[in-house]
Amino acid sequence: MTDTKIPEADPGLWLKDHGDHLYGYAMYRLRDKHMAEDMVQETLLAAWKAYAKFEGRSSIKTWLTTILHNKIVDFVRKAARQKLVFSDEDLDGTIDGEFSETGHINTEFGAKQWPLRPDDMAQRGDFWRILQQCIDHLPKDTGEVFRLREVDGLSTEEICELKGIGKNNFWVILHRARKGLRSCMESNWVGQHDK
Amino acid sequence: MKLIERLMFLVIPSCRETQKLQSKTLDEKLPWLTRCSLWMHCVMCGWCRRYGKQLKFLSRACGDLPECGDFEKDEALPEEAKERIVRCLCEAEAGGKEVASADVVDGAQEH
């Protein structure tokens, strides 16, 4: 038992304080204005109805985002059932000259030292914005598989089934996406703070 | 010395292979022997050690994106939608709460 006093449910205040964040996340993930608005409405209604279950272990913002996240994942599970076809070229992902003949990295392509500790980096103002932009810059189908795994948190098996791809393809797609994202962050985020 | 180096290359994966394994290990537990060879490579190769740490950090950050993402500046909820939602909440209040759904206990987000 904790002594934390949980305030009265106030969906109007939640809307005022967190409505824009919830809507922005729904838009980011769904890319549809009306659907995003509906998701926010459903989230606030569900939160209000279930407020008795809120134990105050997380902030209201975290709780509301979790409810919205679960709703989005449910929707994406249904909507993402579209088979993808990747060519061998799509799956390669290696940059010319990146590796030597023996498969060892050529140092000019090696990962640079990032100037801040990762946890400190995430506190810096534009980190999240650049991360979002770098995810958006991934090739369309690669980015979709990446979002399902890393942002929505779906399992390997579930994504493979939804997208009609084998596990080996899945791992190559994710390897490529992560490599692209890391490289994009290095150029656009680390580059800015590398002094 | 050359012979030892060659033997090591047979056991220890190349940087190319290591990068693939570092990504794969974020999705599933690798076999014991593969984890050992990955570890041995990273002990010897600072580039891949750093690459692996950065990959892990970005993976964690992507999981935190729904909560921490900077979405408000891009897309503010339109005023008419806010009004509609307030009306809907008032109607629901007037109609009384229904049974709470199971997916809304705090701390339930899975990643």
Side-chain angles (χ1 to χ4, degrees), chain A residues 62-63 119 149 179 182, chain B residues 19 23 27 54 60 67 104:
Chain A
T62 303
W63 186 56
D119 289 342
R149 175 73 191 120
K179 196 179 169 85
R182 198 208 67 80
Chain B
Q19 288 188 359
S23 171
D27 302 309
Q54 293 172 357
R60 214 178 57 213
E67 191 189 343
V104 288

Side-chain angles (χ1 to χ4, degrees), chain A residues 157-171:
Chain A
E157 288 73 18
E158 203 169 2
I159 299 169
C160 287
E161 206 209 306
L162 285 173
K163 292 296 170 194
I165 49 177
K167 276 190 175 181
N168 284 335
N169 267 3
F170 170 80
W171 285 315

